């Protein structure tokens, strides 16, 4: 596995070549070695990026070329993808991906960081943020929401589960048909990171071949229901930037708007001329969306939510114990007891909210 080297790539979108370089590194999670590409200065604000299914951290190369002067970028090859090792027991559950992120964070000594995730990586980022909210200062979700359009998912599955061994040029031609927004030069560069050579002279995908063997070959995804996944998004604590590709066949505009609307501190940006693979389809628009969001965050555009707890009446436990005593003496009253305690809590909440409203009104006057 590569470690400690330096590589560079140029973008076909910029009027002049971009010369930022990355360092190839490795970290460990349990017995697995995980590869990642590191861009930018060691003391810059950290963005840890999680790619989508079937690709690698290199999907953020164009962003790295544009943002390495301002940020320290850690673009992880998630388990079973890119140059990271495959899971011996086929564990690609969301819990396993989240554990990997936490292991990398611990090894690199990151206290708080900006977390970014695309598609599958976005769902992993949401779950990590749910489990470790104190670690994530801001969350960037790229073309992912609680719901995905079936047609777009089927398109990705057809592309990644097509012929497994081909000449390199055949893979390039298939990729150009799959995504017509890219130049051939860019496709060739991307496929160089997604494929590995075989002894017979053919090439094949780098990601774990068991993903292509059908249902049951690996353990993947999450046991969360649709409602539970929506709840995960709603309960996100840090400020969230949701980026949608204007031509995405995965994240509909309707779902994107609903998702951003139900998150407490969220901004939705639609990047023109981009499909599902926003970072490479329109790297300038993608970079502008992120840097603008983070600049506004630094200027206080996303204030911390009011953490003042709702007061609970001091005698609430006395009420509960009194009703428990009555229940022992007069069976059949637990429902009435619950209603009484509930009404007491509701009354306290209403009084608190009203007092906050009155203070706010008097402050405006």
């Amino acid at each position: 596995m590569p470690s400690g080297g330096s590589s560079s790539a140029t973008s076909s979108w910029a009027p002049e070549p971009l010369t930022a370089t990355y360092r190839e590194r490795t970290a460990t999670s349990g017995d697995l070695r995980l590869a990642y590409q590191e861009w930018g200065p060691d003391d810059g604000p950290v963005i840890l990026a999680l790619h989508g299914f079937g690709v690698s951290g290199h999907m953020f190369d164009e962003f790295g070329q544009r943002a390495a002067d301002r940020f320290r970028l850690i673009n992880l090859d998630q388990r079973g993808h890119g140059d990271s090792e495959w899971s011996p027991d086929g564990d690609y559950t969301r819990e396993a991906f989240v554990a990997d992120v936490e292991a990398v964070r611990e090894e690199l000594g990151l206290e708080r960081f900006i977390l970014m995730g695309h598609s599958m990586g976005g769902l992993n980022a949401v779950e990590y943020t749910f489990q470790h909210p104190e670690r994530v200062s801001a969350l960037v979700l790229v073309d992912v929401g609680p719901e995905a359009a079936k047609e777009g998912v089927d398109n990705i599955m057809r592309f990644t589960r097509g012929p497994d061994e081909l000449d390199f040029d055949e893979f390039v031609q298939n990729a150009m048909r799959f995504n017509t927004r890219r130049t051939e030069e860019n496709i060739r560069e991307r496929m160089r990171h997604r494929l590995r050579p075989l002894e017979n002279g053919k090439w094949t995908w780098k990601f774990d071949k068991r993903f292509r063997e059908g249902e049951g070959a690996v353990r993947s995804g999450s046991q969360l229901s649709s409602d539970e996944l929506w709840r995960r998004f709603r309960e996100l604590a840090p400020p969230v930037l949701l980026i949608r590709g204007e031509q995405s066949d995965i994240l509909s505009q309707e779902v994107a708007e609903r998702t951003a609307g139900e998150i407490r501190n969220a901004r939705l940006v639609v990047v023109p001329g981009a499909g599902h693979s926003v970072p490479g389809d329109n790297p300038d628009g993608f970079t502008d969306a992120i840097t603008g969001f983070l600049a506004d965050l630094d200027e206080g555009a996303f204030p911390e939510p009011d953490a003042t707890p709702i007061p609970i009446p001091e005698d609430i436990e006395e009420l509960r114990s009194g009703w428990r005593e009555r229940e022992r003496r007069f069976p059949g009253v637990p429902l009435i007891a619950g209603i009484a305690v509930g009404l007491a809590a509701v009354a306290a909440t209403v009084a608190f909210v009203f007092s906050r409203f009155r203070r706010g009104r008097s402050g405006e006057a």
Side-chain angles (χ1 to χ4, degrees):
M1 183 176 296
S3 178
S6 177
S7 302
S8 64
T10 60
S11 169
S12 58
W13 292 269
E16 296 181 2
L18 299 172
T19 58
T21 61
Y22 60 85
R23 287 89 61 194
E24 293 178 339
R25 308 291 194 200
T26 60
T28 58
S29 176
D31 294 329
L32 280 186
R33 287 195 301 169
L34 303 174
Y36 65 92
Q37 305 86 49
E38 185 172 9
W39 300 72
D42 291 340
D43 59 352
V46 175
I47 300 178
L48 195 158
L50 307 177
H51 60 79
F53 173 73
V55 292
S56 71
H58 285 285
M59 77 166 295
F60 298 107
D61 278 358
E62 288 86 1
F63 177 64
Q65 291 161 348
R66 289 160 172 78
D69 61 332
R70 288 159 283 180
F71 302 99
R72 179 188 177 192
L73 309 176
I74 299 168
N75 299 340
L76 181 66
D77 289 359
Q78 297 184 89
R79 61 169 54 203
H81 292 75
D83 292 324
S84 289
E85 292 182 335
W86 296 359
S87 170
D89 60 355
D91 185 0
Y92 294 104
T93 59
R94 200 162 298 154
E95 285 293 329
F97 284 121
V98 167
D100 290 343
V101 175
E102 178 62 6
V104 170
R105 182 203 67 77
E106 289 183 348
E107 183 168 330
L108 299 185
L110 306 177
E111 289 300 316
R112 295 192 81 213
F113 56 93
I114 301 157
L115 184 58
M116 174 164 64
H118 170 261
S119 198
M120 175 194 78
L123 295 177
N124 296 340
V126 167
E127 185 62 27
Y128 180 87
T129 304
F130 180 81
Q131 293 187 22
H132 305 279
E134 74 284 358
R135 299 298 182 188
V136 181
S137 59
L139 181 62
V140 179
L141 299 176
V142 186
D143 219 65
V144 62
E147 297 178 13
K150 183 178 183 302
E151 180 182 357
V153 174
D154 289 345
N155 287 338
I156 293 174
M157 291 299 101
R158 281 193 294 269
F159 176 58
T160 56
R161 290 182 178 175
D164 198 50
E165 296 183 12
L166 295 171
D167 292 332
F168 187 86
D169 285 346
E170 291 178 300
F171 272 114
V172 169
Q173 293 304 313
N174 287 344
M176 291 182 67
R177 284 191 290 270
F178 177 73
N179 188 347
T180 59
R181 304 171 189 87
R182 308 289 188 94
T183 65
E184 182 175 347
E185 177 187 2
N186 176 263
I187 291 289
R188 285 184 175 277
E189 178 66 14
R190 295 281 71 78
M191 297 306 287
R192 183 174 70 83
H193 297 298
R194 296 183 66 177
L195 302 172
R196 59 184 176 87
L198 298 170
E199 293 182 357
N200 61 7
K202 300 289 187 179
W203 293 71
T204 192
W205 299 107
K206 282 185 176 182
F207 71 91
D208 193 331
K209 65 181 181 181
R210 289 172 292 181
F211 281 114
R212 307 187 290 279
E213 292 176 356
E215 191 172 347
V218 298
R219 289 177 288 129
S220 61
S222 167
Q223 298 301 313
L224 294 177
S225 67
S226 176
D227 287 345
E228 290 170 330
L229 185 55
W230 272 102
R231 192 174 304 120
R232 283 286 198 270
F233 276 76
R234 291 189 196 102
E235 293 176 356
L236 289 170
V240 176
L241 171 64
L242 176 58
I243 298 177
R244 176 181 181 266
E246 180 186 36
Q247 300 165 8
S248 173
D249 60 355
I250 293 289
L251 180 64
S252 71
Q253 183 68 18
E254 178 185 3
V255 172
E257 291 177 357
R258 178 186 169 190
T259 302
E262 295 193 11
I263 298 174
R264 180 173 51 200
N265 278 332
R267 171 183 296 176
L268 171 63
V269 174
V270 178
V271 176
H276 182 53
S277 300
V278 190
D281 287 353
N282 184 347
D284 289 329
F286 178 75
T287 302
D288 289 346
I290 293 174
T291 55
F293 167 73
L294 295 179
D296 288 346
L297 187 62
D298 288 341
E299 295 175 2
F302 294 87
E304 290 292 326
D306 186 353
T308 304
I310 294 175
I312 300 298
E314 295 180 359
D315 60 347
I316 194 74
E317 285 304 321
E318 183 179 340
L319 280 170
R320 287 195 180 106
S321 60
W323 278 107
R324 282 194 291 268
E325 176 62 26
R326 287 174 175 79
E327 182 183 349
R328 284 193 293 270
R329 295 169 55 191
F330 305 103
V333 298
L335 176 59
I336 301 174
I339 292 173
V341 172
L343 287 174
V346 169
T349 301
V350 171
F352 173 73
V353 172
F354 182 70
S355 67
R356 293 294 300 273
F357 174 76
R358 288 287 300 274
R359 285 201 299 270
R361 296 280 296 187
S362 62
E364 293 174 3

